Amino acid sequence: MTLFSEASASRQRAHLARLQDAYTHLLDEHGFDAVAIYSGHARNQYADDQQASFAGYGHFIHWTGTATHQHDWLLIRPGHSPHWCYFAPADFWHLSTPAPVGVFADFMTLTPHETTGSLPAPVASNGRLAVIGDVASLALPEGATANPEALCHALDELRLFKDAHERYCLFVANQIALEGHRAARTSFAAGGAELDAQLAYLAATRQRESELPYQNIVGINSHAGTLHYQHYDKYAPDKPRSLLVDAGHRYLGYCADITRTWSASETDPLFTYLTEGVTDFQRRLIARLAPGVDFVTLHDEMHQHLGELLVASGIVNTSVEAAIESGLTRAFCPHGLGHSLGVQVHDVAGRQRDASGAPLPPPARDPALRLTRTLETDMVVTIEPGLYVIPMLLEPFRHGSQSSTVDWTAVDRLADHGGIRIEDNVMITYNGHDNLTQGEA
Ligand code: GLY
Ligand code: MN
Ligand code: MN
């Protein structure tokens, strides 16, 4: 074993020990003797025998590091090693699931099981049993409690804080995703279409689409203005102006979520100026990250920066305060500054006050903000400001009483560039932060 893998194994063991301790404490607090965690399963498409791609339940990934296992169960009981019943039916249509191996598997008792629809024998009948996951269609033992809300909120809270193993996984996922971003950029620079950039990304990161933590967003020109643009054009436009790539990777279950925006031969200099401006204030927002910083306040600071950039560029000719007050900056960027990141790309617990699950909703003006908490050490968040030309959001301003406060000729020049987003993944440390998205894309 190399020094590197020795360190990695010891981080994994510490992660599992941390979960074992935390679950022991939480099961006692919430009145359960055991919790059975279901990995989930893919569903058939309607009137078909084919299935969409699948990603497992977050709490199962938290323990096992795998997002691909279906029909698996994990039983956690204080004082016992976790019991992982992995689904391995006798099946000549598919390759049999091999027994899990590695540090996680060594830490657990492993049992193969062959049936779906109910809990396998080693997991069922364990006193006051909580069963969590996508179990609505399954037969549960009598007396078991499905998805008890208070316990689930507390387990979500546990996921918000990342230990050394988790932070390392997020860092590695970022390193690999950056390789993909470089390949996508090179493909675009060579005249490639959206599909070429996507395929270059997948090849460079050695993954198939079904393994991605979310569907990559690869938008050229006006498509960059659709926040979750979901297609891949097969042909490049005659006039390439911009490329926005929001693309990730999973490493041992943990997700990278990185966005970069690139100019091209036909780019309007105003778009390049704005891209540099967003990149600059994204760095300034990252520089603010530290324990005790309120994320809603930081989101408001994004709008302050955005307003300043819109005014400095001449697109908006009113005061920054007026642009924010009227909702104009939110028409240029309707999404939140960022979210928690972990085994899910939009990770849990971002909108609860604490382990009690008391809601912490976003302000009415920012319904899409997924993180409303005060930052604490060991959280990992994305910082992803944007600036887009989204006609349906800008039209009310174009035709409203404040129409003269916007240079619509400039907006129209930008429209075929779609938009800009710059997104990094950042860990909060006891005295500041550490950017996990290290290196050029
Ligand atoms: N990739 C989706 C997001 O940035 O939140
Ligand atoms: Mn993203
Ligand atoms: Mn994101």
Side-chain angles (χ1 to χ4, degrees):
M1 202 183 253
T2 63
L3 275 179
F4 168 80
S5 60
E6 197 61 89
S8 190
S10 116
R11 279 193 299 263
Q12 290 181 29
R13 281 191 285 270
H15 169 69
L16 292 165
R18 178 173 82 99
L19 294 195
Q20 185 80 36
D21 274 359
Y23 269 64
T24 296
H25 167 75
L26 290 174
L27 285 173
D28 179 50
E29 185 179 322
H30 292 273
F32 292 103
D33 299 313
V35 58
I37 307 174
Y38 182 52
S39 68
H41 59 270
R43 288 186 166 73
N44 283 0
Q45 287 153 192
Y46 182 66
D48 198 347
D49 63 358
Q50 301 297 305
Q51 300 174 340
S53 61
F54 168 81
Y57 181 41
H59 292 304
F60 181 85
I61 306 172
H62 203 199
W63 275 99
T64 62
T66 171
T68 57
H69 277 225
Q70 298 188 43
H71 307 289
D72 280 22
W73 287 95
L74 189 64
L75 180 70
I76 308 299
R77 273 178 306 167
H80 297 77
S81 62
H83 197 143
W84 184 352
C85 290
Y86 63 98
F87 184 59
D91 178 4
F92 53 81
W93 292 103
H94 301 101
L95 188 67
S96 249
T97 310
V101 293
V103 173
F104 282 34
D106 291 347
F107 191 86
M108 303 186 188
T109 306
L110 300 178
T111 309
H113 80 104
E114 292 203 346
T115 50
T116 60
S118 60
L119 278 71
V123 169
S125 309
N126 280 282
R128 296 169 301 168
L129 176 68
V131 182
I132 63 171
D134 182 9
V135 297
S137 62
L138 306 186
L140 305 184
E142 209 171 302
T145 310
N147 294 308
E149 237 176 86
L151 177 65
C152 289
H153 287 315
L155 296 179
D156 287 352
E157 185 76 5
L158 186 61
R159 295 238 309 265
L160 194 59
F161 302 94
K162 274 69 181 182
D163 56 41
H165 161 67
E166 300 178 286
R167 298 191 301 261
Y168 177 74
C169 290
L170 288 161
F171 172 73
V172 175
N174 264 264
Q175 291 299 296
I176 298 170
L178 281 171
E179 290 282 344
H181 278 270
R182 284 188 276 273
R185 179 189 186 183
T186 302
S187 165
F188 178 60
E194 290 167 355
L195 182 63
D196 298 308
Q198 165 75 341
L199 294 174
Y201 184 95
L202 294 173
T205 51
R206 305 294 297 159
Q207 61 186 327
R208 52 198 289 187
E209 275 194 353
S210 59
E211 291 172 296
L212 290 167
Y214 58 94
Q215 178 162 298
N216 286 348
I217 299 159
V218 182
I220 291 180
N221 293 0
S222 64
H223 294 160
T226 298
L227 300 180
H228 285 172
Y229 173 67
Q230 71 276 41
H231 303 293
Y232 304 111
D233 263 4
K234 295 187 177 74
Y235 303 101
D238 292 340
K239 296 191 172 173
R241 304 185 199 280
S242 63
L243 169 70
L244 184 153
V245 178
D246 181 344
H249 184 77
R250 261 189 209 277
Y251 181 75
L252 295 183
Y254 289 82
C255 308
D257 177 14
I258 300 174
T259 310
R260 292 292 182 264
T261 307
W262 306 109
S263 293
S265 57
E266 299 290 330
T267 308
D268 191 305
L270 177 59
F271 182 81
T272 306
Y273 170 84
L274 293 173
T275 305
E276 286 165 3
V278 175
T279 303
D280 176 65
F281 75 70
Q282 191 248 14
R283 288 187 188 138
R284 286 155 69 187
L285 289 164
I286 289 174
R288 290 267 293 111
L289 294 175
V293 172
D294 173 45
F295 207 75
V296 177
T297 303
L298 211 56
H299 174 85
D300 285 340
E301 287 178 25
M302 171 180 81
H303 282 283
Q304 178 72 25
H305 287 301
L306 187 54
E308 286 169 8
L309 182 61
L310 288 167
V311 169
S313 66
I315 294 172
V316 169
N317 57 38
T318 182
S319 71
V320 172
E321 292 67 31
I324 294 171
E325 193 54 39
S326 67
L328 190 54
T329 60
R330 283 170 170 83
F332 279 103
C333 182
H335 62 68
L337 171 63
H339 50 85
S340 179
L341 185 70
V343 294
Q344 288 171 212
V345 67
H346 296 151
D347 213 2
V348 289
R351 285 177 173 183
Q352 64 185 30
R353 190 172 300 281
D354 50 32
S356 75
L360 203 56
R365 63 181 185 277
D366 295 307
L369 183 60
R370 291 187 170 93
L371 181 60
T372 52
R373 299 184 56 142
T374 297
L375 296 176
E376 293 176 55
T377 305
D378 296 336
M379 288 181 176
V380 173
V381 301
T382 68
I383 296 294
E384 49 181 303
L387 193 173
Y388 313 85
V389 176
I390 302 175
M392 66 179 281
L393 298 182
L394 290 172
E395 282 311 290
F397 289 91
R398 191 190 288 258
H399 300 298
S401 58
Q402 300 172 46
S403 179
S404 63
T405 62
V406 175
D407 177 349
W408 295 108
T409 310
V411 170
D412 291 341
R413 265 166 49 210
L414 291 169
D416 198 31
H417 301 68
I420 300 156
R421 180 161 66 254
I422 308 292
E423 176 175 24
D424 284 9
N425 306 163
V426 189
M427 158 181 130
I428 310 304
T429 61
Y430 76 97
N431 62 352
H433 62 272
D434 225 335
N435 193 338
L436 301 172
T437 315
Q438 287 171 21
E440 287 301 307

